[in-house]
Amino acid sequence: MANGQWYPPEWPDRIRALAAGTLTPVTPKRAATVMLLKDTGSGPVVHMLRRRASMAFAAGAYAYPGGGVDPRDDDRHVRWAGPTRAWWADRLGVDEAAAQAIVCAAVRETYEEAGVLLAGPDADSVVGDTTGPDWEADRAALVARDLSFAEFLDRRGLVLRSDLLGAWTRWITPEFEARRYDTWFFVAALPEGQRTRNASTEADRTVWIRPAEAAASYDKGELLMMPPTIATLRQLTAYGAAEQALGAAPGRDLTPVLAQARLEGDELVLSWPGHDEFTKHIPTGGAPA
């Protein structure tokens, strides 16, 4: 039985074009996504959303809240708690301005798509319920990009809690893809007093699910996922509590994972270094195997 690996039908032609030198890779955009965890009696569960069938990228696939970096968050002052911007710059492999924007993107997207905000009045607290109409107005302004996240935090006098995030892994969309992202994956725990909801216009369903259960459904072909999503789910199965996963994050390798396509005899081989399960063999005149 086929698994649920997301594999667009246009990939073989684009891979061949890249190999032939007729396809110029698109520069990837910076992005961030968050694996939001909460503990249950049977272990941690992770918040996932299913992308609408109408989406141009990864339609129907299960993913985590996430999206692109807003360049307006690069240099504006943000009230900040936790590791310094310099620490984050070293951890993420970027400069300090970019580090701030990437962390802001992780927190903003979690708020935009799940209604959960990793920020509070001071360095030791987080906001409570964020479902009121005034919060919703600000969330809608963020989604529309009428308001930057830095401006939102400043308006509400909030401190960004970078200490509630752990950088987990980094994946870059393959060079042959039409839409490319350089994505940092973070892990976080659901703050006490907050609750998730499907606040995303890009998702038609959200679930809290045990990583092992989601991975098993992927293996059966029941849940469609992109390689980095199923890879991180498998990694999360090793932890019995959200705090354990957060504690493991600082030791994780953030070397970017980038798919490679090469010609071997009469077939193209698509592979993700360190992740053999995603390898595809594509006959020069046929479908992938």
Side-chain angles (χ1 to χ4, degrees):
M1 180 182 294
N3 62 25
Q5 183 174 344
W6 178 69
Y7 192 88
E10 67 271 15
W11 270 14
D13 287 342
R14 295 187 65 86
I15 291 171
R16 295 184 188 101
L18 181 67
T22 59
L23 176 67
T24 301
V26 175
T27 301
K29 298 178 180 179
R30 298 176 301 170
T33 190
V34 177
M35 301 178 288
L36 188 64
L37 303 173
K38 72 175 180 180
D39 292 320
T40 70
S42 57
V45 289
V46 63
H47 182 71
M48 303 189 76
L49 53 84
R50 183 175 65 188
R51 294 175 61 81
R52 292 186 183 277
S54 59
M55 296 299 295
F57 181 78
Y62 279 78
Y64 312 113
V69 167
D70 186 341
R72 294 177 296 177
D73 293 330
D74 277 49
D75 54 11
R76 185 182 175 111
H77 175 73
V78 172
R79 294 181 180 89
W80 192 273
T84 64
R85 292 166 179 78
W87 184 93
W88 277 108
D90 182 67
R91 179 75 181 113
L92 302 179
V94 296
D95 61 35
E96 290 189 32
Q100 173 176 291
I102 292 165
V103 172
C104 278
V107 178
R108 187 197 72 241
E109 288 289 338
T110 306
Y111 179 51
E112 286 184 6
E113 298 194 345
V116 171
L117 183 57
L118 304 178
D122 55 49
D124 300 311
S125 63
V126 293
V127 298
D129 185 17
T130 62
T131 58
D134 58 330
W135 285 101
E136 180 58 27
D138 277 352
R139 193 195 66 79
L142 286 168
V143 172
R145 297 297 180 261
D146 294 334
L147 182 68
S148 76
F149 192 63
E151 291 168 338
F152 163 75
L153 293 173
D154 185 59
R155 174 188 295 182
R156 287 189 169 268
L158 295 175
V159 177
L160 185 148
R161 293 289 305 277
S162 81
D163 54 317
L164 300 181
L165 285 170
W168 191 262
T169 191
R170 179 182 178 184
W171 286 63
I172 300 177
T173 309
E175 291 184 331
F176 47 81
E177 256 289 357
R179 289 177 173 82
R180 300 189 65 212
Y181 300 93
D182 184 353
T183 305
W184 285 263
F185 285 68
F186 294 85
V187 64
L190 179 68
E192 186 176 351
Q194 294 194 35
R195 58 189 181 190
T196 57
R197 57 195 173 94
N198 184 7
S200 174
T201 59
E202 299 178 356
D204 60 13
R205 184 188 183 211
T206 61
V207 295
W208 281 104
I209 189 169
R210 291 189 303 112
E213 180 183 347
S217 294
Y218 166 90
D219 290 336
K220 296 174 185 176
E222 297 171 352
L223 297 185
L224 181 68
M225 298 182 202
M226 293 175 281
T229 308
I230 181 58
T232 49
L233 280 170
R234 295 201 196 284
Q235 292 157 2
L236 289 174
T237 61
Y239 304 97
E243 196 62 34
Q244 291 178 8
L246 279 165
R252 297 272 311 167
D253 182 10
L254 293 188
T255 302
V257 179
L258 174 64
Q260 299 175 349
R262 63 187 185 277
L263 183 64
E264 290 187 359
D266 60 353
E267 66 180 10
L268 288 164
V269 179
L270 173 61
S271 62
W272 280 259
H275 300 273
D276 292 343
E277 72 166 297
F278 305 128
T279 300
K280 292 286 186 182
H281 295 266
I282 307 166
T284 53

